[in-house]
Amino acid sequence: MKALLRLVPGLWLTLLVAAPLALVAVLALSWQADGVPPYEPPWAGQGLNPDNLRLLLEDPHYRDSLLQSLVVAALTGGLCLLLAAPMGIGIARAGRWRNVLLAAVLLPFWTGFLIRIGAWIGLLRDEGWINAVLRALGLTQDPIPLLYTDGAMLLGMVHAYLPFAVLPIFAAATRLDPALEEAAADLGATPGHSFLTVTLPQLLPALAAAFLLVFIPAAGEYVIPELLGPPDATLVGRVVFQEFFQNRDWPVASALALALLALLTGPILLYQRLGRAG
Amino acid sequence: MTPRLVRVLLWAGLAFLWLPVALLVAYAFSASPVPFRWGGFSLRWFAALAANDRLLEAAWLSLRIAAGSATLATLLGGALGWVLARHGPFNGRALLGTLAGTPLVLPEVVTGLSLLLLFVALEGATGWPAGRGALTVLLAHATLGTAYAAVVIQSRLATRDRDLEEAAQDLGATPAAAFATVTLPLMAPALAAGWLLAFTLSLDDVVLASFTSGPSGTTLPVALFSMLRLGMTPEVNALATLLLVAAALTLALVGLLLRRRD
Amino acid sequence: MTARLSLRGVTRRFGPVAALDGVTLHVAPGEFLALLGGSGSGKSTLLRVIAGFEAPDSGTVQLDGADLFGVPPHRRPVNMMFQSYALFPHMSVAANIAYGLKREGLPRAEITARVAQAIAMLRLEGMETRKPHALSGGQRQRVALARALVKRPRLLLLDEPLGALDANLRERTGFELRAIQRESGAAFVMVTHDQAEALALADRVAVMDRGRIVQAGPPREVYDRPSTRFIATFLGAANVLEGTRTEDGALDCPGAGCTLRAEAPLPEEAAAVALRPERIRLAPEPGENTAVGTVEESAFRGDSSLLLVRMQGGATLRVSHAEEDGAPPPRGATVRLAWDRDDVVPLLP
């Protein structure tokens, strides 16, 4: 019984987590081919193919997609922190309203992010709600293009990932000892000063965890750039889809996935260390 | 940061999270064929939705996949959570823990791509699974759900409960009886919460389903995604409203279950 | 008379650490034994070995002469009260107490009767349908006790039974525990790190240190005649005076500036003696077992004052000065301290 409990999930994870990731690495070193499936593995005769990975470094299209993804993910993480820090702290200090407010943050997270993106599409369109309001106020004659811009994409990303960022900050803020800020005030610190010198340093691990919790999935995001972003926002998630489904170049798509994973290994390990410490 | 600033930003954040959703729901009841324009109260878009066979079919498929994958995920995640929380140190524990945690941190595109590669390679080698469709989506979702369910269940199996199992045995319960009368009732809320989490993840997933479904396996999110690519329609408003109500009910249920535990 | 519980040479290792190192111990029927030790002394492991949650690497555990080797916890006629109480949070008080009887498959009427009896004995009337989270700490403690006692165990194990209670409740609950033990007739083995609790409740105290039982005996004997330096300082914080043994069996102690003489000549290997603070008195005359020092600090303790006296040799002695003996000497006063031969307790290294 004891062995079975370990064996079954172990086999499942080996087959559906470890083996697929190993396959991605194999594919990244394989050859594109006409056929089904459209690749030839290194052991089929041609040996290892270093070109896919080399292409990522040499072709600006791929290189920039990786860089752009990291920049967008970092911006999303940063903007989420700016909102999530006061929200997490505020909810932690909300007394008996704490659970209601927490539910208010989490409920959109459970509503499905496609729906929320759909709402933004409706709001940001040329004939959408925001442009209608702007026109009604006489601020503009012609609609301002809002949808399919970098701004819309960032807005959607922040909206989708904000609840992820609030949770760890909230959890850490509830563990803060309120007596510490009182002690700081007693020793002459203004509220702002005691926040900067007492509260913030204690929340740093949680802030870092919140940032990474957003940054890691955002770096590979596909749906939001596709639905809200401009066509030239070729983030790596989109390029993987293009290579895979349109160009049917599975080896290059795998190489891109591998590169993304390699870039995220540091942040992932850091996040797991923060998780254990917290 | 002063308390007032914290409060202002908290409400601003909540408004930011809720305003689009609230408008979406409000305009679902508008008669206008242009989304987000008020044309008088009407339920016509809900009616149109009810007549849209393609969406209904996708919704039914999604529900079945979500229920199946959540059940598998709860069984596997329950076993994993138990083993990681209770079996103490054993050979391969670190590896098992790492594997269980990996789907939580992988970008979706990587998970989706890797699973598709696996299914294709498996089919090439063994003939199974024949093609991609509901089954492969279910397997993909069950894998992701297992990782989440394991976390929920493992964290609920606190060390305090170990005392309770020993107390049951000390009072004459066989290990099996102790599991049935003490451990399982205490685990039940966590199992239910894990199931609901896996269910929701499955119902919300576009990327994994896009990779692992063939033409026959169009789930509701995938259908919704291709609709949204062409822009917003009032039908989407209505669908979103229904999903929102379902999600709210689900969350209320989870909250109740978790409260009963304490 | 055979012992209720007999442990012989019980050893349990966790990796390189011996949590139990050859423990031999006997408990008589109806006896209340306290296992006293600091954290990591092995006392909790010993309790878990008796309950069956840990298997000893070597040695035997016998209950009424029958070997318990390989008997799983649920078949041992031994019950345990857990330090956390381990009350089942999803069951009412009555269901918690009935749990063990149901596992025995007793008829329902008997279960009801025995649960009612246990509830009356532990004054839990009116709490039957409550869940554990709706009880106070003292009530939880009594439910845990009732749940274990209702099984009528031949031996009841208690892991820090008063540890989770606040100071007010401890004394009263301690007396109740003692009364319940007499009433039930079961042998109790209690683990505690609190020496006052052990001395007050138990018929016999076994002091544990690093996996061994270093001394076992009635509370008064262990307190008055500690056998090692560890026990002397752990129990009641005695003064430990070091020196060299003279040829006629006294201890020459330069720190105190005197020679300490016990009733009998000190054993050859003794290089220190213990002297309880409350056995030291002020003496008018010089003589045997007296020494001179200066009062450095004085702390009022209600029925007595604790004096720190710096001796001429440099050592500091703790002296308890009873209020009924009049006002204590002021700080800075020079005092002559005296004690009886009987109070000089030789310590083994």
Side-chain angles (χ1 to χ4, degrees):
Chain A
M1 184 67 196
K2 216 170 174 168
L4 200 69
L5 275 179
R6 292 176 199 173
L7 201 64
V8 174
L11 282 177
W12 179 280
L13 292 174
T14 306
L15 182 67
L16 285 145
V17 177
L21 286 177
L23 263 177
V24 172
V26 168
L27 258 277
L29 297 167
S30 293
W31 304 82
Q32 197 186 6
D34 291 327
V36 178
Y39 69 92
E40 213 173 74
W43 51 82
Q46 298 193 72
L48 294 172
N49 180 1
D51 292 344
N52 304 312
L53 290 166
R54 191 180 300 152
L55 197 64
L56 301 188
L57 292 173
E58 289 172 357
D59 187 328
H61 175 60
Y62 301 114
R63 209 174 48 206
D64 292 352
S65 78
L66 285 165
L67 280 178
Q68 208 184 343
S69 294
L70 295 184
V71 171
V72 168
L75 276 174
T76 307
L79 290 171
C80 279
L81 271 195
L82 282 183
L83 266 178
M87 289 176 80
I89 295 168
I91 295 172
R93 292 181 180 170
R96 64 205 173 93
W97 291 101
R98 185 192 272 190
N99 286 339
V100 176
L101 289 172
L102 192 64
V105 169
L106 291 183
L107 192 58
F109 164 66
W110 287 73
T111 57
F113 79 120
L114 270 180
I115 293 167
R116 291 187 282 148
I117 292 160
W120 282 112
I121 293 177
L123 291 173
L124 296 169
R125 283 178 328 138
D126 284 357
E127 315 85 64
W129 205 74
I130 293 174
N131 267 314
V133 170
L134 291 178
R135 247 182 318 218
L137 293 174
L139 289 174
T140 176
Q141 220 69 59
D142 302 314
I144 302 171
L146 298 169
L147 191 58
Y148 308 125
T149 61
D150 287 333
M153 178 171 76
L154 269 180
L155 196 68
M157 300 268 269
V158 172
H159 197 248
Y161 287 111
L162 183 58
F164 289 101
V166 173
L167 268 187
I169 298 172
F170 162 77
T174 52
R175 286 196 298 266
L176 288 181
D177 183 356
L180 294 181
E181 275 203 7
E182 287 170 9
D186 183 66
L187 296 168
T190 62
H193 207 169
S194 88
F195 177 80
L196 284 178
T197 55
V198 174
T199 308
L200 203 59
Q202 294 182 80
L203 289 178
L204 271 183
L207 292 172
F211 177 84
L212 291 171
L213 200 54
V214 172
F215 178 85
I216 293 164
E221 181 60 45
Y222 162 69
V223 174
I224 298 172
E226 188 77 12
L227 291 180
L228 297 177
D232 65 341
T234 48
L235 302 189
V236 64
R238 266 174 124 174
V239 178
V240 169
F241 262 76
Q242 273 162 14
E243 291 299 335
F244 197 88
F245 288 106
Q246 283 155 35
N247 302 344
R248 285 186 64 75
D249 193 339
W250 293 16
V252 164
S254 300
L256 268 170
L258 201 64
L260 175 63
L261 205 53
L263 288 173
L264 290 180
T265 303
I268 287 172
L269 292 178
L270 183 61
Y271 171 70
Q272 284 174 336
R273 250 182 86 167
L274 286 168
R276 262 197 297 278
Chain B
M1 228 181 293
T2 62
R4 175 171 304 180
L5 187 59
V6 166
R7 220 165 348 193
V8 168
L9 287 170
L10 169 60
W11 287 111
L14 284 173
F16 169 65
L17 278 178
W18 276 101
L19 211 57
V21 180
L23 288 169
L24 186 83
V25 172
Y27 283 101
F29 298 96
S30 162
S32 166
V34 180
F36 285 76
R37 180 169 303 165
W38 191 249
F41 181 85
S42 161
L43 293 176
R44 64 183 281 207
W45 300 113
F46 290 93
L49 200 61
N52 188 333
D53 286 340
R54 208 173 73 84
L55 269 187
L56 287 181
E57 217 168 277
W60 176 230
L61 179 71
S62 273
L63 282 176
R64 281 181 301 162
I65 289 176
S69 65
T71 306
L72 250 177
T74 307
L75 289 173
L76 288 165
L80 257 179
W82 177 267
V83 165
L84 292 176
R86 289 299 166 79
H87 275 197
F90 59 87
N91 280 340
R93 187 191 185 283
L95 182 67
L96 197 63
T98 306
L99 280 178
T102 300
L104 303 176
V105 291
L106 281 187
E108 290 172 298
V109 279
V110 178
T111 313
L113 176 68
S114 73
L115 282 166
L116 175 57
L117 294 179
L118 174 82
F119 293 140
V120 170
L122 263 185
E123 189 186 10
T126 67
W128 183 92
R132 259 77 59 208
L135 174 68
T136 46
V137 178
L138 187 141
L139 290 176
H141 286 177
T143 302
L144 186 65
T146 298
Y148 279 91
V151 170
V152 173
I153 291 158
Q154 185 187 351
S155 67
R156 276 275 155 174
L157 289 168
T159 43
R160 191 173 63 107
D161 291 358
R162 172 158 231 158
D163 260 12
L164 298 179
E165 284 148 37
E166 286 190 348
Q169 291 188 37
D170 184 71
L171 293 166
T174 60
F179 183 81
T181 56
V182 174
T183 314
L184 202 57
L186 292 174
M187 260 175 88
L191 291 173
W195 190 90
L196 279 170
L197 185 59
F199 184 83
T200 315
L201 285 169
S202 169
L203 266 190
D204 203 23
D205 165 73
V206 175
V207 173
L208 294 191
S210 296
F211 272 107
T212 56
S213 71
S216 67
T218 303
T219 60
L220 186 63
V222 171
L224 193 58
F225 178 57
S226 49
M227 284 170 79
L228 286 174
R229 277 180 124 138
L230 306 173
M232 212 30 208
T233 68
E235 236 175 326
V236 176
N237 275 21
L239 177 62
T241 304
L242 290 180
L243 289 176
L244 201 72
V245 171
L249 289 177
T250 308
L251 194 70
L253 193 64
V254 174
L256 270 179
L257 280 169
L258 290 182
R259 183 165 304 173
R260 220 189 59 183
R261 169 68 160 74
D262 308 322
Chain C
M1 191 169 70
T2 57
R4 168 108 320 154
L5 175 74
S6 289
L7 304 169
R8 288 189 185 86
V10 171
T11 297
R12 175 75 175 111
R13 289 176 195 286
F14 296 110
V17 187
L20 296 175
D21 188 2
V23 171
T24 295
L25 180 71
H26 303 277
V27 180
E31 187 179 24
F32 195 145
L33 177 93
L35 287 170
L36 177 63
S39 62
S41 60
K43 57 194 195 309
S44 291
T45 306
L46 187 57
L47 213 59
R48 291 173 62 78
V49 164
I50 300 169
F53 294 119
E54 300 280 353
D57 297 322
S58 61
T60 60
V61 180
Q62 287 183 336
L63 193 72
D64 293 323
D67 200 320
L68 288 180
F69 180 80
V71 179
H74 63 272
R75 286 210 227 103
R76 295 191 180 203
V78 171
N79 289 112
M80 170 130 128
M81 190 184 138
F82 288 72
Q83 182 175 10
S84 67
Y85 304 149
L87 298 179
F88 305 129
H90 57 305
M91 295 182 195
S92 67
V93 166
N96 261 288
I97 298 173
Y99 185 89
L101 301 177
K102 281 194 185 141
R103 301 279 89 70
E104 287 177 37
L106 294 180
R108 185 178 278 194
E110 188 180 347
I111 293 180
T112 315
R114 273 172 66 175
V115 169
Q117 194 188 350
I119 280 176
M121 181 156 125
L122 284 142
R123 297 185 291 104
L124 287 163
E125 293 95 341
M127 312 277 165
E128 290 88 341
T129 58
R130 286 208 202 159
K131 293 274 178 71
H133 65 82
L135 300 177
S136 70
Q139 288 165 344
R140 274 181 222 175
Q141 194 258 8
R142 297 210 298 276
V143 175
L145 195 55
R147 187 177 72 175
L149 277 175
V150 78
K151 298 264 294 177
R152 296 183 186 154
R154 284 188 258 168
L155 176 67
L156 183 70
L157 308 172
L158 305 102
D159 194 354
E160 303 274 3
L162 307 180
L165 301 179
D166 57 44
N168 286 334
L169 264 175
R170 265 185 202 206
E171 186 179 283
R172 201 181 80 201
T173 314
F175 279 118
E176 285 175 358
L177 201 59
R178 193 68 249 225
I180 286 163
Q181 192 263 338
R182 269 194 299 267
E183 202 179 325
S184 69
F188 276 29
V189 173
M190 170 180 85
V191 152
T192 180
H193 69 277
D194 182 332
Q195 46 129 338
E197 209 171 288
L199 295 176
L201 296 178
D203 299 319
R204 207 148 58 89
V205 176
V207 184
M208 289 191 75
D209 182 34
R210 279 169 289 176
R212 294 163 175 275
I213 290 181
V214 284
Q215 190 175 3
R220 197 171 293 281
E221 180 189 308
V222 175
Y223 184 83
D224 283 344
R225 323 273 339 150
S227 62
T228 68
R229 168 195 298 263
F230 169 76
I231 301 167
T233 48
F234 186 72
L235 273 183
N239 295 298
V240 173
L241 292 166
E242 317 212 12
T244 44
R245 186 181 180 276
T246 61
E247 273 179 20
D248 57 346
L251 190 79
D252 187 25
C253 176
C258 66
T259 299
L260 294 105
R261 195 170 295 277
E263 202 68 60
L266 301 182
E268 294 282 348
E269 64 273 30
V273 296
L275 199 53
R276 293 271 172 212
E278 65 274 20
R279 299 294 161 83
I280 303 176
R281 56 180 194 275
L282 301 178
E285 303 289 330
E288 185 195 71
N289 279 340
T290 63
V292 176
T294 312
V295 177
E296 278 202 328
E297 288 293 347
S298 164
F300 179 57
R301 290 186 160 182
D303 55 351
S304 64
S305 292
L306 181 71
L307 310 177
L308 294 187
V309 180
R310 167 82 68 179
M311 308 308 290
Q312 279 170 345
T316 304
L317 283 187
R318 303 169 78 248
V319 176
S320 179
H321 178 83
E323 275 303 292
E324 64 201 39
D325 295 343
R331 237 157 55 86
T334 300
V335 290
R336 187 185 310 281
L337 304 177
W339 50 87
D340 293 337
R341 280 188 170 199
D342 200 29
D343 298 324
V344 177
V345 182
L347 298 177
L348 301 175

